[in-house]
Amino acid sequence: MNILRFLQEVDRRVLYALMLLVIAFPVLVPIPLPMKVSPATQSLYDSIEGLKENDFVLFGVSWGAGTRGESRSQTYALMRHLMRKKVRFALLAFEPQAKVLNQKIAEELQKEYGYVEGVNWVNFGYQIDQENFLQGFGKDIVGTIKKDIEGNPIGSLKVMEGVQTAKDIKFLIDVTGSRSFEVYITFLQQPFNIPMGGGLTAVMAPEAYNRLDSRQMVGLLGGLSGSAEYEKLLGKTGEATGASTSSAFAHLLIIAFILLGNVAMFLEKRQRQRMGYGEK
Amino acid sequence: MFSPKTGTAFWLYVFGACVFTVVLVVILQALPQRARRPLMLAATFIGGLFYVLEFFVPLRTMPTPQDPDAVGNFMTPFVVPVAGILIPIVGAVAFGLGAINLFQIHGRRILKKNPNYFFSYVFFIGFFTTLTIGILQRLRPNAINKNLYDLIVVGGYQNLDATMFSIIAFYITSAAYRAFRVKSVEATLLLVTALIVMLGQISLGQMLTNWLPEQGVGFLGNFRFEVIRDWILNKANTPAVRAINFGLGIGSLAVALRIWLGLERGSYFDSQG
């Protein structure tokens, strides 16, 4: 087979094997890479940094195991920052798996920062039908949620002191792999004028940039690189910093193969023209 | 009506709701297809009417103990019960409906011994195992039930879900390699944009233009990959996404109106005559 044709038709199993290799290698042998913090990440960090002690934050966590690779590190980084700032927060999920996944993260981090469930944070659990739910939630949080995931009436929890309606929420975050951030903007951020930030998967992030432009969102973490940038700002290396190296190598492999395929195609075209075959 | 009930009243409400549901289902099943249509239309219209009235009737000051500055209209007091009580009930019924549909489909496959009917057994075993362990873990949260739940849900289901999603990385590599070919001006534009955004997104890509001055320091600083990426996302991508969202919004409104008013073809058992 012609080498130029071969370079355009590399067997997909070879690509899979190379991809596996470039993802696994930095996991086994950590390679620290310099990174630049994007304005969207910096802006989110600054906004959370500006919160006062004991402010109440609604932390939307509508992600499941499917986007765990990106969303978990975003949740870790943002939750860590909230705990450092000593603000109260409530987890709210519109994805069935999120209730358990995020409970584990909060339970793990609370030991480090002396947080107590029910006193400094609460898990509102999984709720259905985000559009309808948020309309009631904004008007009466306790009346709509009623109980946390442990079955405690949320009106009796210390963490909810002075929190009745969405007007009492000082900041809103949504870490998600879906369009749930749009619904938050429509039914909570806009009507109650709550500053909002987001953590989105890399494929979703470009859709949220118009919300940054319109100031409906103050900042944004885009994919794994977003959480790695946030970890850098926090000065605490987490899983995203290592994983972003794998991601960088994977991207580079994709770019290399795209270029390889195109160069080979271009050279083969010229070769055929020289030999008088014309277009294939 | 929406206040919490306890003791005998609670069980009476549960019993009444069960009887009402059974009677309703029996009546609906007994009705001919043509008679069901107006019922569905009426239910949809009344459901939609709630939101139309809530959003379009003018607002006035309506202080509540929870929110002394609240504004609303005569429908506003029903928003919290609808969101907190009715919607979860409808959601639970929808989950149940989904389960019944799956039982019908997989049950039929097993009875008819369709090709690969073995997987329908897998469905039933998986469904009832997960359901039983989930209920046990909630009713009796001892170490055995908790470990079983962790094994099935956390160790099994969640990891399978993550694996399924991770496989996309391999497919994307293969698809990008085969599809991203410079065969037209549009394809070239797409390719160049994608490469710049990818390079600007990763640290290895950013390192390639690290020798250029920082943005704002000199003119050449504007050519760093991460700066061009930000420009593409903010200046080219943003208006395009906004335009798509406008189109989607108007389209959704039109479809919602058609469904609400019963004008949409193919809904409400139309296909069943």
Side-chain angles (χ1 to χ4, degrees):
Chain A
M1 187 196 264
N2 181 341
I3 181 75
L4 294 175
R5 179 111 308 259
F6 170 76
L7 289 175
Q8 291 176 68
E9 293 170 1
V10 175
D11 192 298
R12 66 176 187 278
R13 283 163 294 192
V14 176
L15 293 177
Y16 294 168
L18 285 171
M19 179 55 87
L20 188 67
L21 201 68
V22 296
I23 289 175
F25 184 69
V27 176
L28 300 171
V29 187
I31 305 165
L33 292 174
M35 93 182 62
K36 215 168 155 50
V37 176
S38 69
T41 305
Q42 183 68 55
S43 174
L44 179 57
Y45 178 86
D46 293 342
S47 301
I48 293 179
E49 196 59 24
L51 289 172
K52 296 188 191 79
E53 189 175 330
N54 218 30
D55 275 350
F56 187 83
V57 173
L58 180 65
F59 198 154
V61 281
S62 299
W63 56 272
T67 63
R68 190 168 63 186
E70 293 173 285
S71 305
R72 184 169 68 176
S73 55
Q74 292 178 345
T75 308
Y76 259 111
L78 290 166
M79 202 180 283
R80 186 183 292 283
H81 198 187
L82 294 180
M83 288 185 178
R84 270 190 191 175
K85 291 296 297 177
K86 294 185 168 57
V87 297
R88 295 173 291 161
F89 65 87
L91 302 173
L92 176 61
F94 294 99
E95 213 285 341
Q97 295 178 45
K99 184 178 93 171
V100 180
L101 288 167
N102 290 283
Q103 178 77 10
K104 280 186 189 295
I105 295 174
E107 283 174 355
E108 198 181 313
L109 283 176
Q110 71 172 356
K111 293 172 199 156
E112 203 176 320
Y113 293 94
Y115 262 52
V116 178
E117 187 175 2
V119 177
N120 309 101
W121 67 280
V122 60
N123 191 344
F124 289 158
Y126 165 59
Q127 307 293 335
I128 56 160
D129 194 355
Q130 192 184 6
E131 286 88 346
N132 283 301
F133 177 84
L134 288 183
Q135 290 180 60
F137 179 85
K139 290 181 171 65
D140 181 2
I141 295 175
V142 176
T144 311
I145 296 277
K146 296 185 184 67
K147 288 179 180 176
D148 70 354
I149 66 160
E150 311 290 350
N152 305 309
I154 64 160
S156 66
L157 297 176
K158 196 171 184 301
V159 63
M160 296 301 293
E161 273 177 12
V163 181
Q164 296 287 344
T165 72
K167 286 180 186 167
D168 303 311
I169 298 171
K170 299 295 178 209
F171 198 78
L172 168 60
I173 302 170
D174 189 27
V175 176
T176 181
S178 69
R179 290 178 71 91
S180 64
F181 72 96
E182 299 271 10
V183 186
Y184 273 116
I185 289 171
T186 308
F187 293 108
L188 277 191
Q189 189 277 323
Q190 281 292 162
F192 297 95
N193 200 22
I194 308 167
M196 180 178 169
L200 303 180
T201 51
V203 289
M204 290 297 298
E207 289 189 37
Y209 270 78
N210 66 335
R211 302 302 192 168
L212 286 177
D213 186 58
S214 60
R215 306 265 178 216
Q216 288 165 310
M217 287 173 89
V218 294
L220 174 72
L221 301 187
L224 205 50
S225 56
S227 23
E229 290 167 10
Y230 211 87
E231 284 177 359
K232 184 184 175 185
L233 288 170
L234 288 172
K236 179 89 181 175
T237 306
E239 61 183 73
T241 307
S244 68
T245 310
S246 289
S247 168
F249 278 109
H251 276 79
L252 216 57
L253 181 77
I254 294 174
I255 292 168
F257 268 99
I258 290 173
L259 292 176
L260 195 70
N262 277 287
V263 169
M265 184 188 78
F266 181 72
L267 290 176
E268 191 194 24
K269 213 159 132 184
R270 277 187 60 184
Q271 193 181 55
R272 293 176 74 87
Q273 278 169 350
R274 263 207 314 270
M275 293 166 77
Y277 293 147
E279 288 290 323
K280 187 187 166 190
Chain B
M1 185 181 176
F2 293 119
S3 59
K5 304 287 181 286
T6 52
T8 315
F10 171 77
W11 291 109
L12 278 174
Y13 265 84
V14 171
F15 179 72
C18 290
V19 170
F20 176 77
T21 309
V22 170
V23 171
L24 190 70
V25 170
V26 169
I27 292 172
L28 282 173
Q29 286 293 329
L31 284 174
Q33 298 283 10
R34 270 189 309 177
R36 288 184 201 174
R37 189 183 148 86
L39 280 175
M40 301 298 291
L41 277 171
T44 309
F45 185 77
I46 292 167
L49 190 65
F50 172 77
Y51 294 100
V52 172
L53 292 175
E54 163 61 10
F55 275 104
F56 294 121
V57 171
L59 304 176
R60 59 188 167 81
T61 310
M62 286 179 72
T64 62
Q66 290 85 16
D67 188 4
D69 307 319
V71 288
N73 57 38
F74 73 101
M75 294 303 285
T76 306
F78 296 101
V79 170
V80 173
V82 164
I85 299 170
L86 286 181
I87 297 298
I89 292 171
V90 174
V93 172
F95 273 119
L97 193 66
I100 290 169
N101 276 337
L102 284 169
F103 287 176
Q104 286 178 334
I105 291 166
H106 288 282
R108 212 174 290 138
R109 277 191 189 162
I110 290 172
L111 289 175
K112 290 185 177 176
K113 296 207 182 313
N114 282 358
N116 295 327
Y117 73 95
F118 162 77
F119 294 111
S120 296
Y121 280 118
V122 175
F123 161 74
F124 279 112
I125 293 166
F127 185 91
F128 285 110
T129 310
T130 313
L131 184 73
T132 311
I133 290 169
I135 292 170
L136 277 175
Q137 193 260 349
R138 202 162 176 81
L139 294 179
R140 292 184 188 280
N142 55 32
I144 296 171
N145 292 335
K146 202 178 169 308
N147 285 340
L148 276 173
Y149 179 80
D150 279 352
L151 181 74
I152 298 281
V153 178
V154 182
Y157 172 61
Q158 287 181 359
N159 286 329
L160 283 171
D161 191 8
T163 306
M164 286 295 290
F165 213 79
S166 306
I167 289 171
I168 294 173
F170 296 92
Y171 289 132
I172 283 179
T173 312
S174 177
Y177 164 63
R178 284 170 218 292
F180 267 145
R181 292 286 156 88
V182 185
K183 287 183 173 169
S184 64
V185 178
E186 291 87 349
T188 313
L189 203 61
L190 183 68
L191 176 67
V192 172
T193 311
L195 289 182
I196 292 172
V197 172
M198 277 199 277
L199 286 169
Q201 194 72 14
I202 56 171
S203 43
L204 286 170
Q206 291 171 6
M207 283 164 70
L208 294 175
T209 50
N210 259 356
W211 54 276
L212 289 170
E214 287 290 324
Q215 189 190 15
V217 174
F219 177 71
L220 286 176
N222 293 320
F223 295 98
R224 292 172 75 109
F225 278 130
E226 68 272 19
V227 178
I228 306 176
R229 173 204 64 182
D230 285 340
W231 185 87
I232 290 170
L233 286 171
N234 286 313
K235 306 296 177 194
N237 159 73
T238 293
V241 170
R242 200 169 279 159
I244 292 168
N245 282 347
F246 268 117
L248 279 175
I250 293 167
S252 303
L253 189 65
V255 171
L257 270 176
R258 287 185 67 81
I259 291 173
W260 181 47
L261 299 172
L263 301 171
E264 187 70 3
R265 283 185 163 201
S267 52
Y268 311 114
F269 304 108
D270 277 357
S271 55
Q272 296 173 28

